[in-house]
Amino acid sequence: MKIATAFLLLFGIAAGSAGSVVQSPAADRQQFIRVEAPVVVLTHVRMIDGTGAPARDDQTIVIAEGKIKSIGATAPPDLPASAQTVDLQGYTALPGLVGMHDHMFFPQGGLIYSDMGVSFPRLYLALGVTTIRTAGSVAPFTDLEIKRLIDAGRMLGPKMHVTAPYLEGRGSFTPVMHELTGPDDARKMVNFWADEGATSFKAYMNITRAELRAAVEEAHKRGLKVTGHLCSIGFREAAEIGIDNLEHGLLVDSEFVPNKQPDQCPGAAVNASLKQLDLNSPAVHDTISMLVAKNVAITSTLPVFEAGSAPLAPSGIGAASALLNPRALNVMSTDARVRYLTARARVSFDSGFVPLFRKAMDFERAFVQAGGLLIAGLDPTGNGGIVAGFGDLREVELLVEAGFTPLEAIKIATFNGAKFLGEDAHIGSIAVGKQADLMIVKGNPAASIGDIEKVEIVFKDGVGYDSEKLIQSVQGLVGIR
């Protein structure tokens, strides 16, 4: 009985709990629903469809059976009298974001990370992220059970694609990661976690080429993909091995370190080499060309790097308004907030980092211009300032800061992620027949990308959830559960 009670308390299931997940499931869900009916009609709404196409003003979107049934200038004449109509004059409908580096864990200080099994699912959903890939797990059974609870309608959160525990070699910086003992161990891990329900794998900083090759071979046999936050292996080496995705872009690529040793992470030498790197050099051109030719995607995670840099100006890169977002700070526990603010206060100005950050942005743009698939996530790690949902929205803003148009940035954060997951026939853009996964924001993000933060309603499978109520339900919980 004590174990069962502890489990219920962990997930906030106890009756009357402020962070309740299943009070009863129906009752708990209902308090956060703003729009639900067999047929929902969104009228006078501006629509950004996620494909990069221009926004369309004054549209009517009809939702039924969890899917988009029609889109047009006017509503179809055969709507039932019971249809729920929502006038969205002054609002914009966008596809739900597809977060591709959206962990379920958060730094606890030191080298420890803990799953945020209550706060993060709600925050992702509240801020418009209707699908996530966890891109690495430190509590994989927890992630898989949360996914099952969400899929069963017993818990509120996004659709989840669970990534297995990290495939890390010898030398891990944190005890939450298993260190591989060789290629056979890599194969065993892939097969074990694939059997448990993981749908992707993530190689980490000290993995060897032999271990990565073994993991990729086993994953591909099962039709699954491998991504990587690499250091011991350069991007071109990983592409030759067959990796499907590379996390963080240029800022972690070790291949430009002079005299880099095989299978060894050169640590601080990576940054030093990148600061000297000429993006117009043949070496960079060759890397981008190889990644594109091998269909290797790149995940942009700009917020986690911004959080570790000094604020430079009232707006733009390093803006204090983004790094000290009061709404994000309010969902943190007192301890988590103090840890983050202390870390922020200790950030020293590094005149070399801002040009490097800009170089990383330019690399992502060059990769896209060459035909590469850029996807997006937030990575809620670093110094503890990146929070589920809030960071996803900031990522879109930073893509615009990087030089993409708002429509291009939204496509990267929606359709491109769905395409990588093989889900673009169902999610990632607003189109007739697709799932009604939408975010409704006040204003016009196509003209002012900052409006993307003004999320009011998030539709998942045709049910519209109240963004602010979801956020309020987890005040003070980030850093606890």
Side-chain angles (χ1 to χ4, degrees), residues 203 243 251 290 306 377 402 447 474-475:
I243 203 165
L251 288 170
M290 175 177 283
E306 180 191 37
V474 296
Q475 294 290 289

Side-chain angles (χ1 to χ4, degrees), residues 156-241:
L156 298 174
K159 298 164 184 174
M160 289 179 63
H161 294 253
V162 176
T163 304
Y166 290 77
L167 297 167
E168 172 65 308
R170 294 187 183 276
S172 174
F173 75 93
T174 170
V176 301
M177 295 181 187
H178 166 70
E179 294 185 356
L180 296 171
T181 59
D184 287 345
D185 195 18
R187 293 180 190 277
K188 288 177 184 177
M189 275 195 70
V190 168
N191 286 307
F192 177 85
W193 287 107
D195 288 343
E196 291 297 328
T199 54
S200 65
F201 298 86
K202 181 176 178 181
Y204 209 55
M205 296 172 66
N206 295 288
I207 194 169
T208 67
R209 290 166 297 171
E211 289 164 346
L212 177 60
R213 185 173 290 106
V216 167
E217 287 174 357
E218 292 304 311
H220 286 181
K221 286 177 187 176
R222 306 181 71 135
L224 304 176
K225 293 183 178 180
V226 179
T227 188
H229 172 173
L230 301 176
C231 180
S232 53
I233 302 172
F235 280 13
R236 277 180 283 184
E237 289 179 307
E240 287 285 7
I241 288 170

Side-chain angles (χ1 to χ4, degrees), residues 42 45-53 56 59-63 67-72 92-96 410 414-415 424 426-440:
L42 310 179
V45 67
R46 180 183 299 101
M47 186 181 77
I48 297 173
D49 69 6
T51 67
R56 291 157 57 182
Q59 295 295 293
T60 297
I61 302 173
V62 178
I63 298 169
K67 294 185 177 181
I68 299 168
K69 293 298 182 182
S70 70
I71 302 169
T92 301
L94 300 83
I410 291 165
T414 58
F415 183 79
D424 49 305
H426 311 289
I427 61 171
S429 63
I430 303 176
V432 173
K434 288 196 172 186
Q435 294 300 121
D437 291 355
L438 313 169
M439 54 190 296
I440 307 299

